[in-house]
Every structure is written in C-alpha cells, then in structure tokens.
Amino acid sequence: MAAFDIYPEYEIVRNNERCTNCRVCEKQCANGAHIFLTDKNRMAADDDKCVNCHRCVAMCPVRALKIVKTNHTFRENLYWTGKSIKEIKRQAESGGVLLSSMGNPETYPVYFDKILLNASQVTNPSIDPLREPMETRVYLGSKPDKVVRDEKGRIKIDLPLHIKLSMPVMLSAMSYGSISYNAHESLARAAAEAGIMYNTGEGGLHEDLYRYGKNTIVQVASGRFGVHSRYLSNGAAIEIKMGQGAKPGIGGHLPGSKIVGDISKTRMIPEGSDAISPAPHHDIYSIEDLSQLVYSLKEATGYTKPIIVKIAAVHNVAAIASGIARSGADIIAIDGFRGGTGAAPARIRDHVGIPIELALASVDKRLRDEGIRNRVSIVAGGGIRSSADVVKAIALGADCVYIGTAALIALGCHMCRSCHTGKCNWGIATQREDLVKRLNPDWGYKRLVNLLNAWKHEIMEMMGGMGINAIESLRGNRLMLRGVGLNEKELEILGIKHAGE
Amino acid sequence: MREGMFRNPSGCAISGIFSKSGKRFSGRQIIESIAVMHERSNGLGGGFAAYGIYPEFKDHYAFHIFYDDIYAKRECEEFLEDHFDIVSFSQIPTRKLPEIKDTPLIWRYFLAPLPAKLADSQQDEGEYVIRCVFRINTGIKGAYVFSSGKNMGVFKAVGFPEDVGRFYRLEEYEGYCFTAHGRYPTNTPGWWGGAHPFALLDFSVVHNGEISSYDANRRTIEMYGYKCTLQTDTEVITYIIDYLHRKQGLDLKEICSVIAAPFWSVIATRPQKEREELEYLRCVFDTLLINGPFSIIVGFEGGMMALNDRLKLRSMVVGEKDDMVYVASEEAAIRVIQKDLDRVWSPKGGEGVIVTLEKGSA
C-alpha cells in the first residue's frame, strides 16, 4: 500500500508573505508538524502530523497560520463515508483497536437542544437577580425520611453528611496522570475559589493538593490507584467509580510511559508500569457487593463522608440507580454518552451508552415512583456545554451537574481530541515537562473561575425569568421545560410537554 | 373541561376573620369583606371556609360533596356506607340566585369511620379519611368531596364570592373563623370543584398567587402518596401543609420556615440553635419551598395562619381589634367591617401570622 494512502484531515495554511521564519510554530508543535527547511530557509508543514489543536495558530506572532479542513474527499457516498473508509484502512494497517479521546462526536440527537425554557409573563412576576436575592446554593446528600424530636420536643439535627456547593456545578473526575499536575492544580484551586468540588479521578491525590481537601471529591475506581486512608479522609466526599459515560463497560489504561515521578508515587505503582483499571471492580460483581464497598468506605472514614456512586448512562440505568439508592450511597452520579475521556476505544465511545437527558429523566422519575428520591442526590454529567444545559438538567431532575470538557476548554483545551497521544500542546493531557509548564495554574484557575461565575450569572438570569429565586425550586420542575421536534415517546421519557401545549 | 385537565393560573382576593376568644359570629361579615374586592375576581370562582359551625356534630367528619347527578350520589353513598357510620346527612341549604348557575347536587354528611374498617386499614383515622376522600374524588365519576374536616365546612361555587356567600346562606352560619376567596382564573373551567378554598380534613387554604415552583412541589408531594388531580397551586399547597403537619409533625411556625424559607443570608445571621434548625428544615424539605408570588390564609381547627411568599410579591394586610384578627388582600376589605382597628400592619415576606383560640375558649 502506498505510504500516503490516507490524506490528512487538516491542512496547515501558511501565509508566506507574513511568515518571518521565527520558528515559534516548530518549537510549539509537539507533534512535529512544522519543519524548518534549512536549505531553502523557509518553514514547511507535515499535514499528516497536525491534530488541529491551534497551538501554532495561537502562538504565531504574525498571524501567518491557519488550519483548514481538507477539501480532498473520497467519491461522495452517504453510506460509505470518508471516515468509515479511513478507519478500515487504518485497522487493516495496524490490526488494532481504534483509539479516540473526549466525548462521542457522532450525530445522535442532542436533547438539550430540543428543550426550551419558560419565562414569567403577566400572571406572575419575573425576578431581577441584580435587585433581589437569587439563591444557587446546593446541598448534596441523603435526606432523612422523618423528622425526629428529642425529649424536649426540639428537632434533632441529624442531617446525614452533605456536600455544600455555591452553585449546582462540580468539576468531574479527571485523574492526575491523564491530565497534568498543572491542570489538576488549576481544577483544585478553581473549585476552592468558586466554593464547589473537583474530583481527583482514579489517580490518587498529589501531596501538594491535600490542602484543597474541603473542595475535593476523592475517587475510588476499579484499579484502586492511590487509595489509602489519608486520601479517603482528606476529601469532602468519596466517589466510587463504577462506570464512565465515554466508555461504559470497560476499564482504563494509563500507559507506563506516563507513570513517571510523582504520578508513580501518587498512584502507588512502580515507575514505567502500565496502570490498568479493570473493567469491573473485582470485588463488585453485584449490587450487594457495591453496598459492601459503600459501607467499607464509610467505616474507613468513620461515617464522616458522603459516598457518591458514579455510573455510566446505560439502557437499564433507572433500575440500577434505584438499586444504588438502596445500597447506602448518598449521591448518584450519572455520566451520559457525550462524556469525555483521555482515551477510549472509538467504537465503545461512539456506540455504547445513552444520552444523559433521557437517563436523568428516567432515573429521577423511577426514584420518585419508588418514593426514594429524597434518599439520594443526583449529579448529571456527560456533555454539559453551557449554563442552559445546567438549567435544563436541573429542571429535568438533577441536583447538580458535573462538567469536565467545558472545564478543560476554559483551561486552554482546543478540543483536538488527541489526548490519548500524550502530546497535548496546551499542557493539559500530557506529562511532558516542557508541555506541562505551558499551562500556568495561576492563570488557568482564574479562567475556570471566570467561566463558573459567568454560568452562575446566567443561571440566575434564567431562574429569575422563570420567577424562581432558589435553585431547589427548579429541581425536577419539568413544567418549566417544553420540547421542540420531539416525538411522543421522547416527550414521555423526558416527562415534558411539547412547545405550544 | 374541568380543573385538573390543564394548568390554570389565577389571580385572586383573599380575606379571613378570626375570633381569639372563640366567640361565634355570623358569616355576614366575611361576605361584606370579600365583596369590597370584587374587581380582584372575575366571577369564575368564589368560596368560604367556616370553623366552629357544626358544634352539634363536632366529633364527626363533615363531608361536603358535589354530585353531577343522582347516579354519582348513589354510588358515592354506597361507598360512604361501606366505610363510615353516617350519623346525619342532608342537602346543603341554598338560595336560588340568577348569578349562580349550573348548580350541582350539594350534600352534607356527618361521618364516623367504621371501627372495624379503620382497624383493618392499619392507618390512623386522618389518613383513613383522606384516602377515602381521594378514592371518591378519583374513582367515582361525578362525585367530588370538597370539605372533609370536623366542625368546619367549605362552601364554594362558580360565581363572584359575594354571590356564592348569599347562595349558601352563609349569614345563617355562626363560627369563630371564616376565610374567603375570590378567583381570577386565566382560563374558564366553569367547574365548582375547582373553586377555592381547597381543604383536606380541617385544613383549608385560600391563596392568591401563581407559584413558579409548582411542578417541583407537585412531583415531591406526589412521592408521598398525594395526587394532585386539580393542577392548582392551592391544592398542592394544602397537601404540603398537610404532609408537613400531619406526617412530619412540624408546627405551623416550622412549616413557614419550610414553605417560605428564609434566605441563606438571613439564616446565617440567626443564633446558632435557630440557625441549625432552619438549615435543617431547608435542607430536608428543599423541594417543598414554595417559590413565586403567594399570599395564603390557612384555616385549621382552633386557628388561622396568614403567610406571604418570601419576597412578598402579593399584597396582604393584617388588622387587630380586641380579640378579633382580620387578614385581607387589601386593607379596605378589613376597614369595611371594622373601621376602628387597634393595629394594622403588612407582615413581611415569609413571616407567618399565626393566631389560635385562647385557652379555655370555645
């Protein structure tokens, strides 16, 4: 087969009139897409290596660069698309599983975009968040079924452990290892500044970040990397990761090349050894086993931490969530199929799992039908792109959302979706020291806090428009939603009416 | 079309009169009071709740029931006989008026649960009665129980409230507390069951407003076995109060801290004990917070409570004269029946005004 059988997806376009041969692009590109031709004294590009991450475009001092999608195509065919043909060719070449990063990019329906919000007109007033209090504070955790009083008739303050958040958004699990130390530090500091939580993911917690414990969710996943008693006690809550929206049903794999220095120490595995998280937890083959782990973790921390169980949104998610709610968990996190990842087999990412909107609506309904919705909080994640998605998720029934991809974009990610190569030019999904230092946490955390503040303002505006001044009055308030272009079944599952009804 | 088939936001007028000494007075005053606020209703619903009006049957549940026809009545009475000892029953006396049309059959029953049935049900008496009410209202076509408390009764119809009062000959009843409601719905259901007050056992609610938390509240309260068949704010508010009071054992002040919870910033300024309790109530019952504009008057055995939403997005005034307490959407509706008030004030948002009978009265 010819060496250039597959034409590159992107072309680097250089304006030679502007280019000064400063070679910044060459230094900035970890993929080696820019080459200086010494003999010709000019820059050239290897489009095959370009991932369209925009690092060179952003750093070029004279705006001489842009990246365009190639207009080179296969003979057009709606069924045999260029993508399918290329993937077959790649696999015929390599004999391997196709790898991919970030969330499912395919053309499945996006229900958030087919749901519209309500606003007050005439019969009740909208509320101006600039003039009236507007409350976005959220408590996550289990609520007692019955108020109990002491012998003097006073209410016993026996509220189970809760997480307190200034707004209904948390930063979802991204492990130290899959992302850089500087990215982790940015997440931790942003969470502390914004009064929310970030999540360690399954890579343990770096010693330097213990001081952000009050804003940390520590994760326990199937590989149990970096889990020890100090780690567990340091977090505000513990999350058991059963599944991930980007790759339901499979585990994780951090190659030995990334297990270096502090990562090896934090994960508590030897340098250079692959960190393989098994597909299931090998001590959880059934729901009763999960309950044992929930209580083991509670025992280990003296019943001082709420326990989150995170699952991927799969077909039977409502029944699974109901089982989890009865297993001692305080919070259930559901991760939809648009959820991101540092690396996943493309077929799994693109074909397994269901949309978070449908999963969330059916879980919320099932827990209510069974009278146990108060026993757990629901966190919805997997593809939350804006404050409007947050508001819609809460009105569908979530207590709070997780954001991962959006947080990384705030830190500088350009969604080139090549995290699995480990050569992130923006210093996020890499462990190469020269690349990591490109992300300055002092600057990164501020941008993330900006994003959170902006969303908070927007959430308050939308709430005020609906005449609601406390976020809990929005939770599960599905009358505030209407569908557009959805069929009867979709509306039924979402539990909303069609626009105009 | 009838209430429950669609959501029907309403604006309204409310009024309430309470004698702390338990002195019984006629229903004439409450009609005069609500009549002043004529333009706050649009003739599509009016009603009253009266307390202390059935002293001769004070230990029996007084069911007021609308029947569409004689068949519904027959079926419903069969059900009542199966579940209760019917101590007395009669048609509720009314006066023919040109303003009040499409009158259903309106009957009143004084009931005691059959002890054997009650024991079998393994429920307390209140729950047993409520479940019977739900079964009639959702299971027997054309029958609707709109009042089910002891020594109290609801009287309501489609029409202006003052006409509804005259229709029911309210001036002939004497009680220690009356509340009234004039309705301004945005739709025209024309069904009597949809008028207010809405009542469950001895709790009755009249409400002015349109709550924006409706579906969050409805979906929460339905989890605890209530069925919101009318899709009105008043219905869901009544259920929330019943749930918090009867099932969770909260007192009225505590109920106010749930349904019109103080802002977190206010809670933070309270002394520790109180702060902990307020935080607890707000956390545990977060989705029972009632958001958006409302003013309500809640009637119950031996007392009355007036409450505004926490931003006070609806007008509500309270007046006092000797042992009498008056509440109304507008001060004029109080002044018309009592010019000379000792005190008149506008309670703050979320600040419940609770009055109860003095010890030894009634």
Side-chain angles (χ1 to χ4, degrees):
Chain A
M1 200 62 73
F4 297 114
D5 188 30
I6 298 175
Y7 195 86
E9 218 177 327
Y10 299 99
E11 292 169 15
I12 299 169
V13 180
R14 189 183 316 272
N15 183 333
N16 282 321
E17 281 179 22
R18 291 186 184 177
C19 180
T20 59
N21 293 333
C22 71
R23 298 177 70 171
V24 163
C25 48
E26 186 191 4
K27 286 189 206 89
Q28 291 293 328
C29 186
N31 299 304
H34 295 278
I35 316 140
F36 183 67
L37 304 175
T38 329
D39 50 339
K40 291 182 179 148
N41 194 34
R42 67 171 174 85
M43 293 301 304
D46 181 354
D47 293 341
D48 272 312
K49 291 185 176 151
C50 176
V51 295
N52 193 10
C53 76
H54 288 191
R55 181 73 190 181
C56 56
V57 175
M59 301 309 283
C60 176
V62 292
R63 277 255 179 268
L65 289 168
K66 67 176 176 180
I67 313 295
V68 297
K69 200 171 165 39
T70 183
N71 55 7
H72 168 84
T73 64
F74 289 94
R75 185 162 177 156
E76 274 184 56
N77 185 325
L78 279 178
Y79 191 70
W80 286 101
T81 59
K83 179 170 176 283
S84 299
I85 299 167
K86 269 191 238 171
E87 285 174 349
I88 288 172
K89 285 178 180 295
R90 278 212 185 94
Q91 290 192 296
E93 184 78 20
S94 70
V97 168
L98 291 169
L99 270 187
S100 62
S101 311
M102 303 312 282
N104 188 331
E106 297 297 326
T107 55
Y108 300 100
V110 181
Y111 289 96
F112 282 132
D113 295 342
K114 296 184 178 193
I115 295 174
L116 293 169
L117 298 169
N118 194 27
S120 303
Q121 296 288 299
V122 182
T123 52
N124 71 355
S126 40
I127 302 167
D128 184 348
L130 296 175
R131 292 177 174 80
E132 303 283 351
M134 189 61 65
E135 299 182 313
T136 56
R137 185 189 295 184
V138 178
Y139 286 85
L140 300 183
S142 184
K143 287 162 201 155
D145 287 327
K146 186 99 181 74
V147 171
V148 183
R149 289 176 190 272
D150 63 16
E151 58 287 349
K152 286 183 190 151
R154 282 188 310 235
I155 293 175
K156 269 178 118 170
I157 311 296
D158 60 348
L159 197 64
L161 299 145
H162 275 64
I163 301 178
K164 182 174 151 186
L165 305 170
S166 69
M167 64 186 287
V169 176
M170 300 195 291
L171 308 177
S172 58
M174 289 173 275
S175 73
Y176 173 44
S178 77
I179 59 171
S180 65
Y181 175 86
N182 285 359
H184 236 224
E185 184 186 325
S186 304
L187 295 175
R189 286 168 63 183
E193 173 92 6
I196 60 165
M197 298 287 155
Y198 85 108
N199 188 316
T200 60
E202 64 167 323
L205 179 59
H206 193 283
E207 281 296 329
D208 294 352
L209 301 180
Y210 268 63
R211 62 187 134 142
Y212 303 108
K214 275 194 302 202
N215 298 90
T216 307
I217 293 168
V218 292
Q219 197 181 64
V220 173
S222 61
R224 304 288 154 85
F225 298 119
V227 177
H228 51 86
S229 76
R230 250 188 81 229
Y231 168 77
L232 294 176
S233 333
N234 188 254
I238 302 170
E239 180 173 272
I240 301 172
K241 176 198 174 185
M242 296 304 302
Q244 183 177 345
K247 41 182 172 177
I250 66 166
H253 177 189
L254 195 68
S257 58
K258 287 189 180 176
I259 310 293
V260 289
D262 279 357
I263 293 174
S264 135
K265 207 170 127 199
T266 307
R267 293 209 172 204
M268 307 193 302
I269 50 172
E271 285 208 15
S273 61
D274 286 2
I276 296 181
S277 305
H281 286 244
H282 282 303
D283 52 359
I284 303 179
Y285 283 5
S286 179
I287 188 77
E288 66 271 20
D289 298 339
L290 172 69
S291 182
Q292 289 192 5
L293 181 59
V294 168
Y295 283 104
S296 300
L297 292 170
K298 288 192 174 188
E299 287 285 341
T301 50
Y303 291 82
T304 57
K305 314 284 174 194
I307 306 290
I308 307 169
V309 174
K310 176 181 177 178
I311 50 168
V314 289
H315 302 353
N316 204 19
V317 66
I320 297 163
S322 164
I324 294 171
R326 297 169 200 279
S327 303
D330 302 281
I331 300 162
I332 301 176
I334 314 164
D335 199 13
F337 78 154
R338 298 277 180 190
T341 175
R347 297 291 173 247
I348 301 280
R349 183 194 69 175
D350 298 351
H351 298 277
V352 183
I354 63 170
I356 185 61
E357 303 92 320
L358 301 179
L360 166 62
S362 72
V363 167
D364 178 64
K365 179 171 189 304
R366 178 70 66 89
L367 295 182
R368 285 171 194 267
D369 287 350
E370 297 186 8
I372 52 175
R373 178 65 182 83
N374 61 321
R375 283 201 207 164
V376 283
S377 293
I378 300 176
V379 183
I384 302 288
R385 301 157 299 175
S386 71
S387 59
D389 290 351
V390 178
V391 169
K392 289 170 191 177
I394 290 171
L396 282 173
D399 289 75
C400 165
V401 303
Y402 261 144
I403 59 166
T405 303
L408 294 188
I409 293 173
L411 295 184
C413 167
H414 280 59
M415 287 295 286
C416 72
R417 312 198 298 273
S418 312
C419 322
H420 56 287
T421 65
K423 292 191 280 193
C424 177
N425 275 319
W426 295 93
I428 299 168
T430 180
Q431 301 307 328
R432 251 176 63 179
E433 224 167 289
D434 59 320
L435 300 177
V436 170
K437 73 178 182 209
R438 291 180 181 181
L439 172 60
N440 179 350
D442 291 339
W443 165 93
Y445 98 91
K446 275 188 197 145
R447 286 180 55 92
L448 188 43
V449 169
N450 282 347
L451 178 78
L452 291 164
N453 282 338
W455 284 22
K456 193 172 171 181
H457 283 302
E458 290 175 334
I459 291 168
M460 294 198 294
E461 288 283 355
M462 286 182 265
M463 283 166 61
M466 290 184 257
I468 285 173
N469 61 11
I471 195 86
E472 56 262 45
S473 298
L474 180 64
R475 187 182 321 136
N477 194 339
R478 296 188 185 172
L479 263 186
M480 291 297 169
L481 304 175
R482 288 290 188 277
V484 272
L486 295 174
N487 66 34
E488 288 275 349
K489 193 71 194 175
E490 291 167 320
L491 292 168
E492 179 196 320
I493 294 166
L494 291 167
I496 62 174
K497 292 180 174 177
H498 201 277
E501 273 189 289
Chain B
M1 291 284 274
R2 58 162 53 187
E3 222 77 27
M5 296 164 74
F6 58 95
R7 185 151 153 73
N8 191 357
S10 313
C12 306
I14 57 174
S15 182
I17 310 174
F18 188 86
S19 160
K20 286 195 275 192
S21 66
K23 180 180 70 202
R24 294 169 71 214
F25 52 94
S26 119
R28 191 182 308 276
Q29 288 188 12
I30 193 77
I31 299 177
E32 281 175 38
S33 169
I34 198 81
V36 169
M37 298 184 285
H38 181 86
E39 75 282 6
R40 292 181 79 95
S41 26
N42 63 1
L44 292 174
F48 302 85
Y51 289 82
I53 53 171
Y54 300 135
E56 63 276 29
F57 292 110
K58 65 179 166 49
D59 296 324
H60 294 96
Y61 294 93
F63 275 29
H64 293 186
I65 307 183
F66 291 137
Y67 295 122
D68 286 355
D69 52 45
I70 195 80
Y71 305 105
K73 175 167 180 282
R74 230 172 262 163
E75 194 185 340
C76 183
E77 285 181 348
E78 217 168 275
F79 178 88
L80 291 177
E81 272 170 27
D82 270 359
H83 294 81
F84 296 95
D85 181 13
I86 304 177
V87 183
S88 169
F89 68 100
S90 64
Q91 203 152 5
I92 293 184
T94 55
R95 176 185 281 138
K96 284 261 171 286
L97 291 177
E99 293 88 354
I100 304 290
K101 299 180 194 77
D102 302 325
T103 313
L105 305 172
I106 312 169
W107 282 74
R108 170 163 60 208
Y109 303 81
F110 292 101
L111 308 168
L114 290 174
K117 284 265 173 163
L118 176 59
D120 275 356
S121 76
Q122 297 185 310
Q123 291 148 4
D124 64 43
E125 202 177 280
E127 187 64 24
Y128 176 87
V129 173
I130 283 179
R131 291 203 183 188
C132 288
V133 171
F134 281 156
R135 279 177 64 184
I136 295 170
N137 291 353
T138 56
I140 301 179
K141 199 170 172 286
Y144 186 74
V145 182
F146 62 99
S147 186
S148 54
K150 286 179 179 173
N151 199 12
M152 63 79 70
V154 168
F155 304 88
K156 62 186 183 182
V158 172
F160 280 101
E162 59 273 24
D163 299 330
V164 174
R166 286 196 297 136
F167 170 78
Y168 278 108
R169 303 156 75 140
L170 206 66
E171 72 279 2
E172 293 171 17
Y173 293 85
E174 283 195 336
Y176 60 83
C177 170
F178 286 89
T179 66
H181 186 261
R183 194 172 187 213
Y184 200 131
T186 50
N187 290 279
T188 50
W191 179 53
W192 288 41
H196 302 162
F198 187 82
L200 194 63
L201 298 180
D202 65 303
F203 271 97
S204 70
V205 176
V206 290
H207 153 252
N208 170 21
E210 182 196 341
I211 58 177
S212 45
S213 56
Y214 177 77
D215 217 31
N217 299 144
R218 175 189 69 83
R219 297 183 71 230
T220 303
I221 205 69
E222 287 197 338
M223 197 170 97
Y224 302 116
Y226 295 84
K227 291 188 191 76
C228 294
T229 55
L230 300 183
Q231 294 197 41
T232 61
D233 294 346
T234 315
E235 177 189 46
V236 81
I237 293 171
T238 308
Y239 291 163
I240 288 173
I241 293 172
D242 177 71
Y243 171 74
L244 292 174
H245 177 71
R246 209 166 44 81
K247 298 199 175 165
Q248 291 291 351
L250 300 190
D251 65 32
L252 287 162
K253 193 163 172 285
E254 289 161 347
I255 290 174
C256 291
S257 332
V258 171
I259 65 178
F263 288 97
W264 290 117
S265 55
V266 174
I267 291 177
T269 64
R270 302 283 167 87
Q272 191 198 349
K273 264 252 151 315
E274 193 190 346
R275 188 177 69 233
E276 282 175 3
E277 199 171 295
L278 288 171
E279 271 173 5
Y280 176 84
L281 289 173
R282 218 183 140 176
C283 273
V284 174
F285 301 113
D286 53 356
T287 43
L288 296 181
L289 169 70
I290 300 173
N291 216 312
F294 70 84
S295 59
I296 56 172
I297 304 175
V298 181
F300 54 95
E301 193 183 351
M304 179 173 86
M305 175 178 87
L307 179 69
N308 261 135
D309 66 271
R310 54 203 204 134
L311 283 183
K312 196 166 175 82
L313 295 169
R314 283 287 185 273
S315 57
M316 192 176 71
V317 180
V318 181
E320 272 179 347
K321 173 69 182 173
D322 302 327
D323 74 314
M324 299 299 289
V325 178
Y326 306 89
V327 183
S329 300
E330 295 176 17
E331 193 175 329
I334 299 174
R335 295 280 182 192
V336 71
I337 46 175
Q338 182 54 265
K339 284 196 179 58
D340 176 28
L341 290 165
D342 297 338
R343 188 178 164 220
V344 57
W345 78 100
S346 208
K348 282 190 194 139
E351 189 182 285
V353 177
I354 301 159
V355 287
T356 50
L357 292 176
E358 284 152 4
K359 280 211 175 83
S361 58

